[in-house]
Amino acid sequence: MQPSPSNDCRHGGAKTIKKIPNKGEHEMKERVKPSKSSISRRSFLGKSLAVGAGTIGAGLLANVPTARASGGLTAGDEAILRLLAAAELIEADLWQQYNELGGIQDPEVPGGTGSPAYTAAIQVLDEDMDQYIHDNTDDEITHAAFLNAYLASKGAEPVSLDQFRTLPSSQATGAQQIGRLTNLMQLTVDTSFWTRYRSDSLNPDFGDTLPQAIPGLAAGQFPAIPRNDGDLTPPDHLQAIANTAGFHFAWIEQAGTSVYASLAQRVTHNEVLRILLSIGGTEIMHFQTWQDKAGNAPPLTDPTNGLVFPDLNADGELTQTNLIMPEPTIFLNRTFPICSIIRPTETDGAAARAINGFIADGLFIGQPPAFFALLSQLIEAADHARHGGGGR
């Protein structure tokens, strides 16, 4: 019997999070041949899996100047690129954990040996899930490597959070035993994105709140990967873990979809805008894929903790599973005709909203206060960036 989810542990800030001792290595072993680029995907995966895109305020890296420009970048552009590099490093860390147990392990995405039972449960959502997980992981690794290489080309320091790769790995067979940046074993998943993209009258940019598609996921803490081999049974428990992962995949990528669109409005140089629009477009493709697959999660109740996955097609259009195209909704002003859009895209406070979402998700349970202090610095710098300005 697995422990029931707890609603007592609140993880909205660093002060309430207990530090988990490092049970893994601080360096991932290099598994693939170096690329010709100055900064390879593998080297970034191994040496700088860092921060996510979404929560606190102003400070990821102590060695990163934010009040001056570097190599032709405005200070604001530099701050935004730093935040996004941190976010991509965090995503690469969490996606690698998913890939080790449920994806395809190969030299392109190193690490792990797979969990056949977990992979089979994930494939209930789609038979190609292992390939999709692999490719999403590869994408995030390349995003992080590119952003850091671009920063370096402009004379700025690449983002590195090696010192915080201390969280424990899953003990399930197939997972590497190394230090992690993110925790996928105590997640509180906000599934209001599901109803948000199906509503024609509500938009969080107007301060609207939308209901949860899976209320239970937002009310406790649940694993999205098996914590150990004991989580591989009973079958409905393992399937609940796979269902949780399916909705978490979509949640992660909708956050990336919005943060790129929101921060693109603040950059100054056309090349930096091109970077945000180009990478942001792939985040949209990821989200579209994952919300489609999440709709295939079978209705069930986890017998170990009571988590309920309802029949999403039983309650009308707000949760209907095949409505994967963004429903037209209000935009800019309620007097305008409704329009199919990405939402939210409000730029004020976009970095803080993104990182705070990661914190509320439980991804950083176990990280020390210093981690959140650094995140806060990164966020503050990015949210102070202004189009045509120098930043702070």
Side-chain angles (χ1 to χ4, degrees), residues 82-273:
R82 288 185 189 287
L83 177 79
L84 293 174
E88 295 291 355
L89 288 165
I90 284 182
E91 289 193 61
D93 178 84
L94 69 88
W95 276 109
Q96 187 189 5
Q97 294 180 67
Y98 282 127
N99 192 73
E100 288 178 12
L101 292 170
I104 294 173
Q105 297 79 40
D106 62 16
E108 193 172 49
V109 180
T113 56
S115 168
Y118 178 64
T119 301
I122 287 282
Q123 287 176 328
V124 169
L125 279 63
D126 189 284
E127 63 181 6
D128 291 322
M129 287 289 274
D130 56 346
Q131 185 68 59
Y132 299 154
I133 291 170
H134 170 280
D135 291 349
N136 204 137
T137 307
D138 189 36
D139 288 354
E140 307 304 354
I141 294 169
T142 64
H143 290 168
F146 178 87
L147 290 169
N148 269 323
Y150 185 80
L151 283 164
S153 77
K154 299 298 182 181
E157 287 293 323
V159 175
S160 175
L161 289 178
D162 284 352
Q163 69 198 93
F164 298 113
R165 197 167 336 126
T166 60
L167 302 185
S169 296
S170 164
Q171 298 300 302
T173 301
Q176 292 190 94
Q177 295 307 301
I178 58 176
R180 312 287 186 173
L181 289 172
T182 57
N183 182 342
L184 298 181
M185 295 176 279
Q186 294 169 271
L187 295 180
T188 302
V189 185
D190 180 352
T191 57
S192 63
F193 71 85
W194 188 272
T195 56
R196 178 203 319 155
Y197 273 100
R198 287 159 175 78
S199 172
D200 64 0
S201 61
L202 299 174
N203 181 342
D205 281 335
F206 288 81
D208 297 329
T209 5
L210 288 107
Q212 299 287 330
I214 314 292
L217 278 178
Q221 295 176 349
F222 303 94
I225 55 175
R227 295 161 291 189
N228 50 55
D229 288 344
D231 273 337
L232 302 181
T233 56
D236 277 357
H237 173 59
L238 179 59
Q239 190 61 54
I241 292 174
N243 287 4
T244 298
F247 282 92
H248 193 239
F249 297 166
W251 182 85
I252 288 291
E253 299 305 317
Q254 63 82 29
T257 292
S258 284
V259 78
Y260 274 93
S262 298
L263 292 179
Q265 300 168 63
R266 292 175 172 266
V267 303
T268 295
H269 290 308
N270 285 341
E271 189 170 69
V272 178
L273 177 61

